[in-house]
Amino acid sequence: MAPLWLAASLLPAWAHASPAAHPAAKKQTSTHSPRPAAKKVSKKNTQPVQGTLPYGHRADAMAFADDLAERRQLNRDDLRHALSQARLLPGVPKLMLPPSSPTAKNWQAYRSRFVEPIRIGAGLRFWQQHRATLERAEQSYGVPAAIIVGILGVETIYGQQMGTYRVIDALATLAFDFPAAHPRAAERQAYFRSELEQFLSYHQRAGSDPLMPRGSYAGAMGQPQFMPSSWVKYAVDFDGDGKIDLFNSPEDAIGSVANYFKGYGWQTGLPTHYPVRLDGSAQDKEALLLPDILPTFSVASFSAKGGVLSEAGQRHPGQLALIELQNGGAEPSYVAGTENFYVITRYNWSSYYAMAVIELGQAVAQALPR
């Protein structure tokens, strides 16, 4: 998933459903045939086209279009025409590079960017307006309304910030001009080529205009900031109007987020984490942290290594992971993450992101009138 410097951007989830996106646990996949996408994409489509050189002059881009047409039995001329109008975004490759001077991780500072009055207030209005849809999604997929509300609030403030880049420009830039200086350049470039393929294939089969959608600088779209592969596999027509529209339909966004989590193994009724206190040696703590966010330890083995759980945690039926949240120069915070905590990190691999989603959803739920 995206590192912390990217997680707070318009696209905390730029690597949805990508095996290449998660350095700690590469288990993400994608693809399902949705109904045609909405022709109306976003009010932001009136913005001028960004970028410089069009990819129509690039032999590698045209070869990509030809190969895609042959493999997927798509119209070669239409693919070439669409890709020829994609433009290089010169500033985007730099945004993929890790910062030259990384700052110390600080959970409290990170949390304050998401669990704050503007998002809580917007989340409260969103929940009240779409209460019935959230309840239906929870019943259909088993994913709590608070988690769905947390995701949409962290990602786009409920559709207020969906990105201003043409998606075809962003994806083409990263597919053909991914920065060679990146430590995993070949892997990441292959990922974005796959996403560009999903995007172009989807729009040609749907008969919609691939030049219209706007999103993040990494190609994520709509209120939940789905990458094309996630849109193809997990997006659903939850409002029943015969099309999938994650830009303008909060109902489709709600159902699609719930379906995404269900697809990654969300377990109904299972907590996301438990409080924990450490009472072991430094070696024990290192052993608990070694698997990172992947739940690996039974309650017995977790406790044997000094993880002191709450009563509810001691009754947990599955595996646990020790989640460390650093606080700059202060003492770190710890929780015991469950399988459902891990599922949230399939949206974005950061444990900080997952906790922000959880705590924003909780804050909005607490603000609801009783």
Side-chain angles (χ1 to χ4, degrees):
M1 110 85 135
L4 289 178
W5 55 269
L6 184 56
S9 72
L10 287 177
L11 176 61
W14 58 268
H16 297 176
S18 161
H22 196 312
K26 303 173 184 178
K27 296 184 179 178
Q28 302 178 357
T29 54
S30 342
T31 359
H32 143 78
S33 285
R35 300 182 181 96
K39 297 282 185 176
K40 179 184 177 184
V41 176
S42 168
K43 295 177 181 178
K44 298 181 184 293
N45 287 333
T46 58
Q47 295 183 359
V49 175
Q50 304 173 53
T52 55
L53 298 176
Y55 279 95
H57 299 290
R58 291 275 294 269
D60 55 346
M62 293 301 97
F64 175 89
D66 294 345
D67 176 66
L68 175 57
E70 182 176 354
R71 285 187 295 102
R72 295 207 172 205
Q73 298 183 329
L74 299 171
N75 185 289
R76 174 178 174 273
D77 292 339
D78 287 349
L79 286 176
R80 275 181 158 249
H81 176 72
L83 197 50
S84 71
Q85 296 183 71
R87 295 189 182 187
L88 172 68
L89 299 171
V92 164
K94 299 174 185 177
L95 297 174
M96 293 292 117
L97 293 173
S100 56
S101 301
T103 57
K105 297 177 182 178
N106 189 321
W107 160 236
Q108 294 303 323
Y110 184 91
R111 181 186 187 278
S112 69
R113 296 202 293 269
F114 298 106
V115 188
E116 47 79 31
I118 291 177
R119 288 180 203 259
I120 294 171
L124 176 60
R125 293 188 295 273
F126 183 87
W127 197 322
Q128 291 173 320
Q129 185 176 356
H130 302 289
R131 185 187 296 269
T133 304
L134 288 163
E135 290 174 354
R136 181 161 59 91
E138 186 165 346
Q139 292 168 2
S140 299
Y141 299 103
V143 180
I147 296 297
I148 301 170
V149 168
I151 285 285
L152 295 173
V154 167
E155 289 290 341
T156 61
I157 317 182
Y158 312 99
Q160 294 181 38
Q161 297 179 352
M162 292 188 286
T164 60
Y165 296 86
R166 276 201 321 182
V167 172
I168 195 170
D169 296 334
L171 292 176
T173 296
L174 296 172
F176 303 115
D177 290 285
F178 196 87
H182 192 283
R184 294 162 52 229
E187 183 182 4
R188 301 305 301 142
Q189 185 167 25
Y191 165 71
F192 283 107
R193 287 198 176 204
S194 175
E195 292 297 328
L196 178 61
E197 176 173 328
Q198 293 276 9
F199 179 77
L200 291 171
S201 300
Y202 174 81
H203 280 284
Q204 186 168 128
R205 295 192 189 283
S208 48
D209 186 355
L211 303 180
M212 291 292 287
R214 301 243 175 189
S216 78
Y217 61 77
M221 299 172 284
Q223 296 182 36
Q225 291 290 274
F226 272 12
M227 292 297 285
S229 58
S230 295
W231 187 304
V232 168
K233 185 169 185 179
Y234 298 110
V236 296
D237 173 21
F238 208 57
D239 62 10
D241 67 352
K243 60 182 180 291
I244 294 171
D245 183 359
L246 301 186
F247 292 92
N248 302 298
S249 171
E251 293 83 1
D252 287 359
I254 288 167
S256 298
V257 169
N259 188 41
Y260 184 98
F261 282 134
K262 185 67 174 179
Y264 275 100
W266 185 273
Q267 299 179 40
T268 304
L270 187 74
T272 57
H273 63 285
Y274 302 103
V276 66
R277 177 172 56 85
L278 298 183
D279 191 24
S281 66
Q283 290 80 7
D284 286 334
K285 185 177 82 169
E286 288 178 7
L288 287 172
L289 289 172
L290 187 61
D292 195 22
I293 55 182
L294 181 67
T296 304
F297 301 98
S298 67
V299 169
S301 61
F302 191 89
S303 300
K305 289 180 171 56
V308 182
L309 294 161
S310 63
E311 289 186 11
Q314 293 172 25
R315 296 191 297 271
H316 179 67
Q319 305 292 98
L320 294 170
L322 180 63
I323 307 300
E324 181 180 69
L325 302 167
Q326 297 178 25
N327 290 308
E331 285 296 311
S333 304
Y334 296 95
V335 297
T338 71
E339 294 91 336
N340 277 355
F341 187 95
Y342 185 76
V343 170
I344 297 176
T345 66
R346 303 306 81 204
Y347 216 94
N348 179 308
W349 68 263
S350 167
S351 54
Y352 297 73
Y353 172 90
M355 284 300 297
V357 166
I358 293 165
E359 296 201 2
L360 175 59
Q362 290 174 343
V364 175
Q366 291 169 2
L368 288 169
R370 302 302 176 193

